[in-house]
Structures are given as C-alpha cells and as structure tokens.
Amino acid sequence: MQKKYLKEKKSVNRLEITVEEISSQEREIYRTLRTNIEFTGIENRVIAVTSCAPNDGKSTVSYELASAFAENGKKTLLIDADLRRSVLLNRLGIQEEIKGLSHVLSGQCNINDTICATNKTNLYMIPAGVFPTNPTELLGNERFSKLVQAVKDVFQYVIIDTPPIGNVIDAAVVAKKCDGTVLVVKSDAISRAEAKSAVEQIRSSNDNILGVVLNKVDVKSTGYYGKYGKYKEYGYGNY
C-alpha cells in the first residue's frame, strides 16, 4: 500500500454531506481547537479522537475539527475507525453504501477505492465500511500502519474517529499509529477517576495527548456563552 495507490483516478468516489451547519460561535470554537493543535507542532498531523464513554460527542468533534482544517485550506482526510458501532455516516446525512476501512484492512480492496471526496472543499473521508467481527485485530494489523503512512504522504491532516476508550481497546490500538490523541469528555458525565483511567490507557500506547475537549456543557447553568444556546463544544486544554 504505497503512495501510488492515492494518485488521481478518472472517477472519484463522492459523498454528499448534509449535516446541519453549526453556528458562527461554535465554528469559532473549532477554529480555536484547530489553532491549538497546529501550535503543538507540525509533526502532529495524524490525530486520533476518542472519548471516555459513548454519547460524549467524539464523532461530532472529529467531523467539525476535520472541517476546520479543511476550511483553512488544508487537504484533510477524516477516517471513520469506529468499526463497532459507527454513527458518523448517519450523523452526516450520508445514505450511500460504500466500501470503507474494514474492506481495506481485510484485504478486499485497496485504499484508493475507499477515499471519498465530499461536497466540502478540501475535505475527504474514508467510511468505516461493514462492521467486522474482529475490529481490534484489523486495526492492529500491518495494513492499518501502511494506510496511515500512505495517507500522511498525501493529506496535510488526518483525523481518525475511534471508539470510546472506556469501552474497548480499539482507540489505544489506533493511537499507537497516530502522532497524537484528543480526548473528548462530556461535562458532568464521568468521574475524575474515569477520566484519569482513559488518559492512562491512551498513554500506554502513545504518550502524546494533545488535549481534552470538554463537550456538551450546559452553558445556561455555567453562564458561559449563555446567549448562544444550551450546549456547546467549547472547552480545550492540555492534559
């Protein structure tokens, strides 16, 4: 799986993203997140996004972060590596059935068959594909390592949406192949001990945790950005 597999094809898979646009205030928050990541160093270009638990909003954060890089003129690839119960295509309003990551990792097709252009400028995507019975083994095999290196040679940023690290070890397996990891934490949903455990699991594979996104904050009760709406993805900081 070399760079040559990613050269331009006569026909390119295309996905139409129909997700509801976020507000200008929310978009500015993701631009800040993007800038913070950019200032961690140019070597941090392949980024895993995980969370402590389901429904923390990691898939939304993954997509909006990838969109923020694309908006800034960076050729960006969003990889759906949640091979257990991905919600990304549904969240983005995509109805097409198309080969994805699981097909590449199981040797059923090459990477060029799965990279999709989108209707968002500079934003590309590899869907999850069918849900396999052995996701951890697929993500840990040599094909995934080669895939990551191949797309890093072509795209300026690669954002990888992974399963919650509090449930399965898939995210730690993916993080090992990435330059850094962002952890999404839902406000008032987990204990400090659970968050610490998630960080330790990530560090067991890749010590480079770029930061933590505090998500789904009830801004009415906190008073922060209260006039903009009830919930925002706004908190970010180094861990």
Side-chain angles (χ1 to χ4, degrees):
M1 192 178 299
Q2 305 296 326
K3 185 176 179 179
K4 64 182 180 180
Y5 289 122
L6 301 181
K7 63 185 180 181
E8 290 293 326
K9 298 190 302 179
K10 291 183 178 180
S11 61
V12 179
N13 297 324
R14 183 174 176 84
L15 295 176
E16 292 291 325
I17 295 174
T18 59
V19 65
E20 182 178 348
E21 293 294 327
I22 60 177
S23 69
S24 59
Q25 290 83 9
E26 289 172 303
R27 191 164 302 284
E28 188 60 33
I29 291 164
Y30 281 107
R31 288 170 180 163
T32 300
L33 174 57
R34 176 196 70 206
T35 300
N36 287 345
I37 291 175
E38 288 174 332
F39 275 88
T40 65
I42 190 61
E43 66 277 4
N44 293 322
R45 297 193 295 111
V46 180
I47 301 164
V49 179
T50 189
S51 61
C52 292
N55 302 314
D56 283 357
K58 66 170 180 61
S59 294
T60 297
V61 172
S62 297
Y63 167 71
E64 294 297 347
L65 177 59
S67 295
F69 279 115
E71 175 193 65
N72 199 38
K74 306 296 185 183
K75 189 175 181 182
T76 305
L77 177 66
L78 174 61
I79 300 178
D80 187 352
D82 190 342
L83 301 184
R84 295 179 184 270
R85 48 169 298 181
S86 171
V87 298
L88 197 51
L89 287 186
N90 184 56
R91 293 275 175 86
L92 300 182
I94 297 171
Q95 303 300 322
E96 297 95 329
E97 291 186 6
I98 191 168
K99 291 181 179 179
L101 183 61
S102 62
H103 294 88
V104 176
L105 300 185
S106 59
Q108 298 182 51
C109 66
N110 66 51
I111 185 176
N112 215 38
D113 295 325
T114 64
I115 295 179
C116 302
T118 74
N119 53 320
K120 306 291 183 180
T121 304
N122 296 319
L123 182 60
Y124 297 77
M125 184 175 178
I126 296 180
V130 299
F131 296 160
T133 58
N134 58 337
T136 304
E137 288 78 6
L138 287 182
L139 293 169
N141 71 27
E142 187 62 22
R143 285 195 182 98
F144 185 71
S145 298
K146 291 181 178 179
L147 181 149
V148 170
Q149 188 55 56
V151 297
K152 190 174 183 179
D153 288 341
V154 173
F155 294 90
Q156 292 169 281
Y157 281 92
V158 180
I159 309 300
I160 306 180
D161 183 30
T162 73
I165 198 163
N167 286 18
V168 292
I169 66 170
D170 296 14
V173 172
V174 172
K176 188 175 183 179
K177 317 290 186 181
C178 297
D179 299 327
T181 304
V182 170
L183 177 64
V184 178
V185 177
K186 182 180 178 182
S187 179
D188 297 325
I190 63 169
S191 67
R192 184 181 183 88
E194 289 172 316
K196 184 177 180 180
S197 176
V199 169
E200 290 173 349
Q201 288 182 65
I202 296 171
R203 283 183 171 158
S204 68
S205 295
N206 186 336
D207 194 48
N208 191 19
I209 299 180
L210 301 179
V212 177
V213 174
L214 181 62
N215 197 21
K216 298 187 178 180
V217 178
D218 188 342
V219 293
K220 285 187 176 180
S221 64
T222 62
Y224 187 71
Y225 281 165
K227 64 182 180 179
Y228 296 147
K230 188 174 181 182
Y231 293 105
K232 304 295 176 190
E233 293 83 9
Y234 77 89
Y236 180 83
N238 293 329
Y239 204 100

